[in-house]
Amino acid sequence: MALRVTSSPLQASVAKSSSSRLPAIAPSSVRAPIVACRASIKEDVAEAPSSRREVLGAAAMVASALMSASPAQAFLGFGEDDSKVQEKYLQSTTEVLQRVQVVLDMDKKDPAKEETVKELRKDINNWVAAYRREDKVSGRPSFGVTYSILNALAGHFNSFGPTAPIPKKRLERINKEMKDANLYLSRGR
């Protein structure tokens, strides 16, 4: 049985007698009053910019504020500033190029060549992992030339083994790039 709120006793009796499946039939002379509710909530909300000019002006102010923000500095030893990254890059690149030169100067029958090449491959992997994604150094000319040298050597040793001689053309290119890399490093580039 469905109960409905009504305003007259006649409508109440009709509503009680009707089942939930059948609609209640009320006499045409008695009609339920129509109740209208209107809710209004006043909020203190600042109006958003409505014109295109105001929206673009606000976006320009936000963009200029973000662009003028200074980069975060190291705090409690976390992170490094640019000068430390540059010094570390110059030092490690010079060291890895010296190790490359040692391997290039070794005789192919030298018994220590296999172990030296194995250490060089570890150094190559560490150097590439440290600087390939470092934006502060990856755009330098010395980085590109050094990466090319290390890539050529790693590819050669992976394909032919640590004791295989380096072909003449490849060796000439590596020696030229070694000179260029050392020149760039001496100029701080």
Side-chain angles (χ1 to χ4, degrees):
M1 175 180 343
L3 293 176
R4 287 189 270 169
V5 178
T6 58
S7 60
S8 71
L10 178 62
Q11 286 180 342
S13 65
V14 172
K16 284 182 184 177
S17 66
S18 65
S19 68
S20 62
R21 287 187 234 156
L22 298 174
I25 300 173
S28 61
S29 62
V30 181
R31 295 185 186 216
I34 298 175
V35 179
C37 293
R38 182 179 294 178
S40 64
I41 301 173
K42 292 185 179 180
E43 294 180 15
D44 293 330
V45 178
E47 289 186 29
S50 57
S51 72
R52 186 180 305 160
R53 181 177 291 176
E54 289 173 341
V55 170
L56 290 175
M61 288 190 330
V62 169
S64 67
L66 291 176
M67 290 216 173
S68 66
S70 63
Q73 298 297 322
F75 178 70
L76 299 175
F78 296 107
E80 295 178 319
D81 60 350
D82 288 347
S83 62
K84 289 182 183 178
V85 171
Q86 303 296 339
E87 290 173 18
K88 187 177 174 184
Y89 167 76
L90 289 174
Q91 180 183 3
S92 65
T93 304
T94 304
E95 289 173 3
V96 80
L97 288 176
Q98 289 171 350
R99 289 187 188 117
V100 165
Q101 192 61 50
V102 167
V103 168
L104 292 177
D105 293 339
M106 290 181 88
D107 187 34
K108 79 173 192 173
K109 296 179 183 179
D110 190 348
K113 183 168 183 174
E114 193 168 336
E115 186 63 32
T116 308
V117 168
K118 188 176 180 180
E119 291 175 14
L120 177 64
R121 289 175 65 190
K122 286 181 186 176
D123 292 337
I124 289 171
N125 288 337
N126 291 336
W127 186 88
V128 169
Y131 299 112
R132 178 175 41 195
R133 296 181 189 262
E134 183 67 52
D135 292 336
K136 296 172 183 132
V137 296
S138 64
R140 293 174 144 211
S142 63
F143 174 83
V145 174
T146 304
Y147 189 87
S148 176
I149 294 167
L150 299 179
N151 190 32
L153 284 174
H156 173 77
F157 293 135
N158 284 338
S159 297
F160 304 110
T163 57
I166 299 173
K168 185 178 178 183
K169 276 188 165 182
R170 184 175 298 151
L171 186 60
E172 289 173 359
R173 191 189 94 204
I174 289 173
N175 284 328
K176 180 192 177 304
E177 288 178 345
M178 288 283 290
K179 289 177 186 174
D180 293 344
N182 286 322
L183 179 68
Y184 289 138
L185 287 173
S186 68
R187 294 180 180 174
R189 299 180 62 203

